[in-house]
Amino acid sequence: MSTTERHLSNKIRMFEDMLLRSKNNYEIETLRNELTKMRISLQKMRYVKES
């Protein structure tokens, strides 16, 4: 796993933790959107690495 992949993976875990602890609906939606973007970019990185 490259450094950028590891960094992004750790960032995703941190955001997931924040999402679980959040009680503010606006913040929850924002975190969900950011998580989706980060997961997509991580999947793209892994796909390019395998190709």
Side-chain angles (χ1 to χ4, degrees):
M1 185 181 297
S2 71
T3 307
T4 52
E5 280 181 88
R6 191 175 305 121
H7 177 70
L8 190 54
S9 181
N10 289 337
K11 193 173 179 181
I12 288 172
R13 284 192 203 108
M14 182 183 69
F15 271 62
E16 286 172 340
D17 186 49
M18 288 169 43
L19 180 63
L20 289 172
R21 295 170 190 267
S22 179
K23 300 207 183 324
N24 180 354
N25 287 333
Y26 177 75
E27 186 180 21
I28 289 172
E29 285 303 313
T30 305
L31 289 170
R32 280 185 183 161
N33 291 335
E34 288 301 315
L35 272 168
T36 302
K37 292 175 189 175
M38 287 189 282
R39 287 179 179 140
I40 289 170
S41 59
L42 183 61
Q43 287 297 322
K44 284 181 181 178
M45 290 170 71
R46 289 180 177 164
Y47 179 76
V48 167
K49 186 178 179 181
E50 289 178 6
S51 299

